[in-house]
Amino acid sequence: MDHAADALRTDLMTITRYVLNEQSKHPESRGDFTILLSHIVLGCKFVCSSVNKAGLAKLIGLAGETNVQGEEQKKLDVLSNDVFVKALVSSGRTCILVSEEDEEATFVEPALRGRYCVVFDPLDGSSNIDCGVSIGTIFGVYMVKDFTEPTLDQALQPGKNMVAAGYCMYGSSCTLVLSTGSGVNGFTLDPSLGEFILTHPDIKIPKKGKIYSVNEGNAKNWDGPTAKYVENCKFPKEGSSPKSLRYIGSMVADVHRTLLYGGIFLYPADKKSPSGKLRVLYEVFPMSFLMEQAGGQAFTGKERALDLLPKKIHERSPIFLGSYDDVEEIKALYAAEAKN
Ligand code: AFP
């Protein structure tokens, strides 16, 4: 009998235990982040259960509303947003919430205010719901200096100021990937226990990958460096192999694969969308934070993504993120173009 393996199987590292362990390394910590995270985890478990039951519960279908991006909102988006807002407010640890589904930021009432600002997309990839493709929740957490008088500026900080970021993917399993600024860890929900268990400790993205991920249907409107990069993926220099293309159209799933297998995910600017499609605060920043923490890079076409200073809560940005060497290549193409 392999006692070491058995001990691992019986000594379960839950996400709460993991965060409490991390907390004990900071004696000044008051446990506020642990409490906040437990409310985020509750939201993820609820959405996971709703996504699993969606067909059965007849939750699928349009809710008859459009969100601030002009997209059709489905019932699961509405439900997920309500659950996350209520869970975050009731944690007593938040003062500002920015959700993809709400036009305005939510300022928490004084009695329930705490020192964190949470930016999130409660159900990203919702156009994939009806065909059962993986979707997810993305979140980022900032610390607010004066939470008694919160202002919108405190939600408009560069991504490098985030204290934590993560996503939960609702796929063939439910996986929560989290960074609190010292590496990246992945936890998988054990439905029989109702607990997220550490299954992917200290995730490091391969330095170079064999996969590129982009919506090539937009190729006719791309700029020179993006077009050249994708051309190089397909027709590399003599001696190297072409990269494979994988694109799900659900950022959480595409980024999750990129993080585990390596490669690059691109949502570039194009002539029709000069700022790209993805939103800075709750898509670009959290995913860029995770990539850097896993040893990769994230670039906007102009600068390090986490250096961006957003001016509006629903601002968009082009994004290229993934393996260190793959992002270096696209950076070199943009640098060469800037010189000409
Ligand atoms: P939906 O939430 O409308 O499905 O959009 C998903 C998303 O914001 C992101 O998850 C994907 O990476 C990206 O859009 C896909 O966009 P395209 O459909 O333009 O490729």
Short mmCIF file of all heavy atoms in Angstrom, two decimals, residues 66-71 73 99-104 282 314 316:
data_model
loop_
_atom_site.label_atom_id
_atom_site.label_comp_id
_atom_site.label_asym_id
_atom_site.label_seq_id
_atom_site.Cartn_x
_atom_site.Cartn_y
_atom_site.Cartn_z
N THR A 66 -31.79 43.59 -22.11
CA THR A 66 -30.43 43.66 -22.66
C THR A 66 -29.55 44.31 -21.62
O THR A 66 -30.00 45.15 -20.85
CB THR A 66 -30.37 44.52 -23.95
OG1 THR A 66 -31.12 45.69 -23.74
CG2 THR A 66 -30.88 43.77 -25.15
N ASN A 67 -28.26 43.89 -21.56
CA ASN A 67 -27.38 44.47 -20.56
C ASN A 67 -26.68 45.70 -21.12
O ASN A 67 -26.95 46.13 -22.24
CB ASN A 67 -26.39 43.42 -20.03
CG ASN A 67 -25.39 42.99 -21.08
OD1 ASN A 67 -25.30 43.58 -22.14
ND2 ASN A 67 -24.63 41.96 -20.77
N VAL A 68 -25.75 46.29 -20.32
CA VAL A 68 -25.13 47.56 -20.73
C VAL A 68 -24.32 47.44 -22.02
O VAL A 68 -24.06 48.44 -22.67
CB VAL A 68 -24.25 48.15 -19.61
CG1 VAL A 68 -25.09 48.76 -18.55
CG2 VAL A 68 -23.30 47.12 -19.06
N GLN A 69 -23.88 46.24 -22.37
CA GLN A 69 -23.10 46.08 -23.60
C GLN A 69 -24.04 45.89 -24.80
O GLN A 69 -23.60 45.64 -25.90
CB GLN A 69 -22.17 44.85 -23.53
CG GLN A 69 -21.61 44.55 -22.17
CD GLN A 69 -20.59 45.57 -21.71
OE1 GLN A 69 -20.10 46.35 -22.53
NE2 GLN A 69 -20.28 45.60 -20.44
N GLY A 70 -25.35 45.96 -24.58
CA GLY A 70 -26.30 45.78 -25.67
C GLY A 70 -26.49 44.31 -26.03
O GLY A 70 -27.01 44.00 -27.10
N GLU A 71 -26.03 43.40 -25.16
CA GLU A 71 -26.17 41.98 -25.46
C GLU A 71 -27.45 41.45 -24.82
O GLU A 71 -27.89 41.97 -23.79
CB GLU A 71 -24.98 41.19 -24.88
CG GLU A 71 -23.65 41.62 -25.45
CD GLU A 71 -22.50 41.26 -24.52
OE1 GLU A 71 -22.73 41.14 -23.30
OE2 GLU A 71 -21.38 41.13 -25.02
N GLN A 73 -29.56 39.38 -22.48
CA GLN A 73 -29.27 38.73 -21.21
C GLN A 73 -30.10 37.47 -21.08
O GLN A 73 -31.28 37.47 -21.40
CB GLN A 73 -29.67 39.65 -20.07
CG GLN A 73 -28.51 40.31 -19.40
CD GLN A 73 -28.97 41.11 -18.22
OE1 GLN A 73 -30.00 41.77 -18.26
NE2 GLN A 73 -28.23 41.05 -17.16
N SER A 99 -19.98 44.99 -11.75
CA SER A 99 -20.37 43.76 -12.44
C SER A 99 -20.58 44.04 -13.92
O SER A 99 -21.09 45.11 -14.29
CB SER A 99 -21.67 43.22 -11.84
OG SER A 99 -22.22 42.25 -12.72
N GLU A 100 -20.24 43.07 -14.74
CA GLU A 100 -20.47 43.21 -16.18
C GLU A 100 -21.94 43.46 -16.47
O GLU A 100 -22.28 44.12 -17.44
CB GLU A 100 -20.02 41.93 -16.90
CG GLU A 100 -19.79 42.11 -18.39
CD GLU A 100 -20.70 41.28 -19.28
OE1 GLU A 100 -21.57 40.58 -18.74
OE2 GLU A 100 -20.53 41.35 -20.50
N GLU A 101 -22.80 42.95 -15.63
CA GLU A 101 -24.23 43.04 -15.89
C GLU A 101 -24.87 44.34 -15.44
O GLU A 101 -26.03 44.59 -15.75
CB GLU A 101 -24.97 41.87 -15.21
CG GLU A 101 -24.56 40.50 -15.73
CD GLU A 101 -24.91 40.28 -17.20
OE1 GLU A 101 -25.87 40.90 -17.70
OE2 GLU A 101 -24.20 39.50 -17.86
N ASP A 102 -24.17 45.14 -14.66
CA ASP A 102 -24.77 46.37 -14.13
C ASP A 102 -24.09 47.60 -14.71
O ASP A 102 -22.86 47.72 -14.65
CB ASP A 102 -24.67 46.40 -12.60
CG ASP A 102 -25.49 45.29 -11.96
OD1 ASP A 102 -26.57 44.99 -12.50
OD2 ASP A 102 -25.04 44.74 -10.95
N GLU A 103 -24.92 48.51 -15.23
CA GLU A 103 -24.36 49.70 -15.87
C GLU A 103 -23.53 50.53 -14.90
O GLU A 103 -22.48 51.04 -15.23
CB GLU A 103 -25.53 50.53 -16.41
CG GLU A 103 -25.07 51.64 -17.30
CD GLU A 103 -26.22 52.22 -18.13
OE1 GLU A 103 -27.36 51.70 -18.04
OE2 GLU A 103 -25.96 53.18 -18.83
N GLU A 104 -24.04 50.67 -13.69
CA GLU A 104 -23.36 51.49 -12.68
C GLU A 104 -22.71 50.59 -11.64
O GLU A 104 -23.17 49.48 -11.40
CB GLU A 104 -24.38 52.39 -11.94
CG GLU A 104 -25.26 53.25 -12.84
CD GLU A 104 -24.50 54.39 -13.49
OE1 GLU A 104 -23.40 54.70 -13.02
OE2 GLU A 104 -25.02 54.94 -14.49
N TYR A 282 -12.93 43.38 -15.55
CA TYR A 282 -13.34 42.05 -15.06
C TYR A 282 -13.05 40.92 -16.04
O TYR A 282 -13.51 39.80 -15.84
CB TYR A 282 -14.83 42.08 -14.63
CG TYR A 282 -15.71 42.89 -15.54
CD1 TYR A 282 -16.14 42.38 -16.75
CD2 TYR A 282 -16.08 44.20 -15.21
CE1 TYR A 282 -16.93 43.12 -17.60
CE2 TYR A 282 -16.86 44.96 -16.07
CZ TYR A 282 -17.28 44.41 -17.25
OH TYR A 282 -18.05 45.16 -18.10
N HIS A 314 -16.61 50.01 -17.69
CA HIS A 314 -16.85 48.97 -18.71
C HIS A 314 -15.91 49.11 -19.91
O HIS A 314 -16.22 48.63 -21.00
CB HIS A 314 -18.31 48.99 -19.14
CG HIS A 314 -19.27 48.64 -18.04
ND1 HIS A 314 -19.30 47.40 -17.44
CD2 HIS A 314 -20.21 49.39 -17.40
CE1 HIS A 314 -20.23 47.39 -16.49
NE2 HIS A 314 -20.79 48.59 -16.44
N ARG A 316 -12.93 48.65 -22.62
CA ARG A 316 -12.41 47.44 -23.28
C ARG A 316 -10.96 47.64 -23.66
O ARG A 316 -10.50 48.78 -23.79
CB ARG A 316 -13.20 47.17 -24.57
CG ARG A 316 -14.67 46.92 -24.35
CD ARG A 316 -15.41 46.92 -25.68
NE ARG A 316 -16.84 47.05 -25.48
CZ ARG A 316 -17.71 46.05 -25.56
NH1 ARG A 316 -17.30 44.84 -25.86
NH2 ARG A 316 -18.98 46.25 -25.36
#
